[in-house]
Amino acid sequence: MRIAVVGMGKIGLPLAAQYADRGHHVVGVDINAHFVACINDGREPFPGEAHLADHLARLVPAGALIATTDYTEAIPHADAVVVVVPLLVDGEGSPNFAAMDSATRDIGRHLTADTLVIYETTLPVGTTRSRWRPALETGSGLVEGRDFHLVYSPERVLTGRVFADLRKYPKLIGALSVEGERAARAFYEAVLEFDDRSDLARANGVWDLGTPEAAELAKLAETTYRDVNIGLANQFAVFAESAGIDIHRVIEAANSQPYSHIHRPGIAVGGHCIPVYPRLYLHTDPGASIVRTAREFNVTMPEHTVGLLANAYGDLTRARVLVLGAAYRGGVKETAVSGVFDTVDALAKRGAVPLVQDPLFSDDELRKLGLEPWDGDSPVDAVLVQADHREYGTLDAGAFPGIRVAVDGRRILDPLRWRDVTFVQLGVATR
């Protein structure tokens, strides 16, 4: 097949490589000329995705995968167009469709008959049918269901392990017609392979959910569940601190029963997915009070964790506080909706001098993010863990001259290494 993938980001590029690796000719489209140039040189435009570098080094020289900024090189006469353009939310929690609308208009202008168009970006329920179908029909002059087929199939992968997740999880599809469902099933069976999984109710593979709306809701449900679950865990953690209880031991005990699946509490919920997709759900279902309450509670956790530091340290005015981790989660060089920003703001509001260290980011990169890097030598009064990078697990108080308090917001530090300072762990009464 000739496949166009629109959006060469941290999901779209690995998808394009996966399709090309299965023997298809793939043209990737992106407005970022730097990304396009890197891809055409066979290089990763961003680090951290397992096996991606090897795929690009092999597939690009072979001509199986190319990238472009020009839709005219990718869309006309493609057998399939897969759209992975990001959808973000604004400060009010409403979806910002600007980038996706622009991409859809460009696709529509160049769309030719007999093309399968699939959206994989996470969407509010009803978007595929009510927004993308009329936009594509208007732009192309073609009729969906007769001249082309439109399908929704949510991406369900995690950055850093996309290729493994493509094999592990069923591929959900929701089409507007029976013919569209058949085309989407044939497409994904040609570009993906699936692991055997005895834990599923039915065989791993392509699962048809009947409508785009059902597929849209399935993605929102699985991610919103995580946010609500984390909100519950954070609620338990805050109570446990006041009750003299170690919430981590409690959760471990509760989860030994097979019907309990409580997540881990933490200083922040970050990334492109978990803090964003519940808002897309709320856009469709504004009366969802449980979802809204959990999202609002999770937003308070950076301030709460800084409050734990203040309780242990005292007045933070002019205190040099080192925040460990700019990334939104350990091992990933990404700051999308990272808790580091709210943590630094909360420290600054209390008069502290916030400094940041992250093994994945250079000092210049931290400064470009508006963060002040620690030089690695100067004294600090306290440290606060924001990201659970593996490297932090072996740290001890001796690495930080002058330290009085350590606050672990991710349960990554070893308490035994911090005996000489006041050690505080989120969800645990201070010792």
Side-chain angles (χ1 to χ4, degrees):
M1 288 183 289
R2 176 181 169 87
I3 304 169
V5 178
V6 181
M8 289 283 96
K10 292 188 176 181
I11 303 299
L13 179 54
L15 287 183
Q18 167 70 27
Y19 304 160
D21 195 47
R22 291 284 288 167
H24 306 284
H25 179 66
V26 182
V27 181
V29 185
D30 202 282
I31 60 173
N32 188 319
H34 172 69
F35 276 24
V36 168
C38 286
I39 295 166
N40 288 333
D41 286 340
R43 297 182 291 111
E44 293 177 292
F46 43 78
E49 186 59 54
H51 311 298
L52 180 58
D54 293 339
H55 278 67
L56 294 178
R58 177 169 41 84
L59 296 167
V60 173
L65 171 61
I66 62 173
T68 181
T69 59
D70 188 352
Y71 281 78
T72 63
E73 296 180 25
I75 305 304
H77 309 296
D79 295 295
V81 176
V82 178
V83 186
V84 206
V85 175
L87 173 63
L88 302 177
V89 296
D90 62 21
E92 304 301 317
S94 298
N96 181 351
F97 285 103
M100 293 199 75
D101 283 341
S102 176
T104 299
R105 286 192 295 270
D106 284 329
I107 293 168
R109 291 188 188 103
H110 303 290
L111 190 65
T112 51
D114 301 320
T115 301
L116 171 66
V117 181
I118 304 173
Y119 283 79
E120 290 214 2
T121 305
T122 304
L123 301 170
V125 175
T127 304
T128 304
R129 187 186 302 271
S130 64
R131 195 180 193 100
W132 304 144
R133 180 172 68 176
L136 291 172
E137 289 183 334
T138 299
S140 66
L142 303 175
V143 177
E144 196 283 326
R146 185 191 71 189
D147 304 315
F148 71 97
H149 296 297
L150 177 60
V151 175
Y152 181 69
S153 178
E155 56 86 3
R156 308 178 72 201
V157 297
L158 192 65
T159 56
R161 64 184 201 201
V162 171
F163 296 107
D165 285 352
L166 287 172
R167 300 178 61 96
K168 185 176 182 180
Y169 304 127
K171 196 70 181 87
L172 310 181
I173 60 173
L176 289 168
S177 66
V178 173
E179 294 79 7
E181 183 273 328
R182 290 172 181 162
R185 179 180 298 277
F187 171 78
Y188 283 117
E189 288 178 347
V191 298
L192 299 178
E193 296 178 287
F194 297 95
D195 295 334
D196 291 330
R197 287 184 55 185
S198 60
D199 61 312
L200 297 177
R202 50 187 165 126
N204 195 5
V206 181
W207 289 12
D208 174 32
L209 296 192
T211 65
E213 291 79 7
E216 289 163 342
L217 181 56
K219 177 58 187 287
L220 293 177
E222 68 185 39
T223 48
T224 299
Y225 160 78
R226 294 177 66 191
D227 195 46
V228 172
N229 194 318
I230 295 169
L232 181 62
N234 282 332
Q235 185 83 74
F236 289 156
V238 171
F239 170 75
E241 292 162 2
S242 65
I245 298 169
D246 182 340
I247 195 59
H248 304 286
R249 296 181 68 182
V250 170
I251 291 174
E252 180 184 33
N255 287 352
S256 67
Q257 204 269 6
Y259 300 105
S260 179
H261 308 282
I262 304 169
H263 290 358
R264 290 176 55 181
I267 184 174
V269 180
H272 293 286
C273 303
I274 302 178
V276 175
Y277 298 159
R279 295 186 176 188
L280 297 183
Y281 177 78
L282 286 165
H283 180 71
T284 307
D285 184 10
S289 57
I290 294 173
V291 175
R292 188 178 303 281
T293 298
R295 180 86 297 271
E296 291 174 351
F297 192 83
N298 285 338
V299 169
T300 69
M301 292 307 292
E303 171 62 37
H304 171 77
T305 309
V306 170
L308 295 178
L309 170 61
N311 290 339
Y313 184 89
D315 184 3
L316 289 175
T317 302
R318 292 187 295 277
R320 289 169 57 84
V321 180
L322 175 60
V323 179
L324 295 177
Y328 78 86
R329 68 177 172 92
V332 175
K333 190 177 182 179
E334 176 61 71
T335 59
V337 200
S338 173
V340 71
F341 302 108
D342 285 344
T343 300
V344 165
D345 286 347
L347 288 167
K349 287 177 182 176
R350 291 176 181 261
V353 179
L355 306 169
V356 180
Q357 187 276 343
D358 192 302
L360 301 182
F361 291 83
S362 69
D363 288 356
D364 285 344
E365 288 173 325
L366 291 176
R367 290 191 184 96
K368 288 178 181 178
L369 292 167
L371 306 171
E372 182 61 32
W374 179 51
D375 61 16
D377 295 313
S378 59
V380 296
D381 299 300
V383 297
L384 189 157
V385 177
Q386 192 284 136
D388 53 344
H389 291 309
R390 183 177 301 176
E391 295 90 336
Y392 295 157
T394 58
L395 292 176
D396 58 38
F400 307 100
I403 184 174
R404 289 170 45 191
V405 179
V407 177
D408 187 356
R410 296 289 185 180
R411 204 191 181 199
I412 187 70
L413 301 180
D414 180 355
L416 297 178
R417 294 174 177 267
W418 300 82
R419 293 183 183 275
D420 298 329
V421 303
T422 301
F423 183 80
V424 183
Q425 191 174 79
L426 179 69
V428 182
T430 303
R431 63 166 170 80

